[in-house]
Amino acid sequence: GENVEQHPSTLSVQEGDSAVIKCTYSDSASNYFPWYKQELGKRPQLIIDIRSNVGEKKDQRIAVTLNKTAKHFSLHITETQPEDSAVYFCAASTGGFKTIFGAGTRLFVKA
Amino acid sequence: NAGVTQTPKFRVLKTGQSMTLLCAQDMNHEYMYWYRQDPGMGLRLIHYSVGEGTTAKGEVPDGYNVSRLKKQNFLLGLESAAPSQTSVYFCASRLGLAGITDTQYFGPGTRLTVL
């Protein structure tokens, strides 16, 4: 069935460094790829998304890239700050009813 | 505009008790979802609804029932709670326009403990 694999499960970086989280999806019909940030005890919130007709999208310090051929997409956070510490989820959707979520990456940014 | 709200925020049940979790959205969204989130397991879909009066099973539906009598509300019921249902439950909704894949918006969550 549909699946989204997310790596790494835990990522620790020094403040100011970059962080990269990678996801692979199985359903080639997927055309929408959102990324959510979930702070401790809070709800998941959308931080950036990309559609299949775009290869890259950037919003200030965060960017997402999509490789449809390889069925890979990645989240890049530059100049990380302690407030970036959270769990990040990738997801993939085909336009149907369901969105398939990755298992999450716990990011620690050390001051 | 409150977005997606959930009640209650916290609940402790004894094994065998029943309860209903309420999700409400004021964004006129068609699609609504119930997920559970357990440590290290991400978000797992329990049930979903694509419109008023409709419901469907997700990935982990056993032990849960749902109803969508009004477009803005999606109820999740536990008829006989079990310790395995201890989890954080999130409701989500999305607009659901035909042919357009749009974003899900999540409620604040309900932390349920079953003793």
Side-chain angles (χ1 to χ4, degrees):
Chain A
E2 304 115 334
N3 184 46
V4 173
E5 293 190 358
Q6 183 172 346
H7 299 282
S9 57
T10 305
L11 179 59
S12 183
V13 300
Q14 204 68 35
E15 182 178 2
D17 287 350
S18 295
V20 180
I21 302 170
K22 298 181 179 181
C23 289
T24 303
Y25 60 97
S26 60
D27 190 340
S28 57
S30 298
N31 59 12
Y32 176 65
F33 307 91
W35 284 88
Y36 290 85
K37 175 183 180 181
Q38 186 179 26
E39 297 177 347
L40 190 62
K42 302 286 182 64
R43 74 187 81 188
Q45 291 197 298
L46 179 76
I47 55 171
I48 195 167
D49 57 9
I50 191 168
R51 297 188 184 273
S52 58
N53 59 348
V54 175
E56 183 173 358
K57 184 177 179 181
K58 190 173 182 180
D59 182 4
Q60 298 183 5
R61 294 188 297 108
I62 60 174
V64 58
T65 59
L66 171 64
N67 182 330
K68 286 190 294 183
T69 303
K71 293 191 278 188
H72 288 170
F73 59 113
S74 300
L75 177 72
H76 304 253
I77 306 174
T78 58
E79 301 173 18
T80 54
Q81 301 168 3
E83 51 264 39
D84 294 328
S85 296
V87 178
Y88 292 81
F89 292 98
C90 64
S93 177
T94 63
F97 310 128
K98 299 181 189 177
T99 297
I100 309 298
F101 288 87
T105 295
R106 186 173 296 276
L107 175 64
F108 296 96
V109 180
K110 296 177 286 186
Chain B
N1 190 333
V4 182
T5 58
Q6 292 181 231
T7 53
K9 290 184 170 54
F10 303 93
R11 186 73 185 267
V12 178
L13 290 179
K14 294 181 180 179
T15 297
Q17 287 185 318
S18 63
M19 78 163 293
T20 300
L21 283 67
L22 171 64
C23 176
Q25 50 91 9
D26 60 2
M27 298 177 283
N28 202 34
H29 284 179
E30 289 293 335
Y31 296 176
M32 296 187 75
Y33 305 83
W34 276 107
Y35 294 91
R36 62 177 288 172
Q37 185 176 38
D38 302 298
M41 298 196 70
L43 293 158
R44 293 188 291 170
L45 182 64
I46 304 171
H47 285 281
Y48 64 98
S49 168
V50 299
E52 180 178 315
T54 75
T55 62
K57 294 180 179 180
E59 183 186 357
V60 288
D62 294 342
Y64 305 95
N65 56 76
V66 288
S67 64
R68 183 110 181 260
L69 299 179
K70 293 183 179 180
K71 185 176 182 178
Q72 63 267 34
N73 295 337
F74 195 28
L75 278 65
L76 178 71
L78 286 73
E79 290 186 347
S80 180
S84 60
Q85 294 177 305
T86 294
S87 189
V88 179
Y89 291 86
F90 286 101
C91 176
S93 71
R94 54 178 269 229
L95 191 55
L97 292 173
I100 297 177
T101 312
D102 51 309
T103 305
Q104 289 191 26
Y105 295 91
F106 285 85
T110 295
R111 185 174 295 276
L112 175 66
T113 301
V114 183
L115 302 175

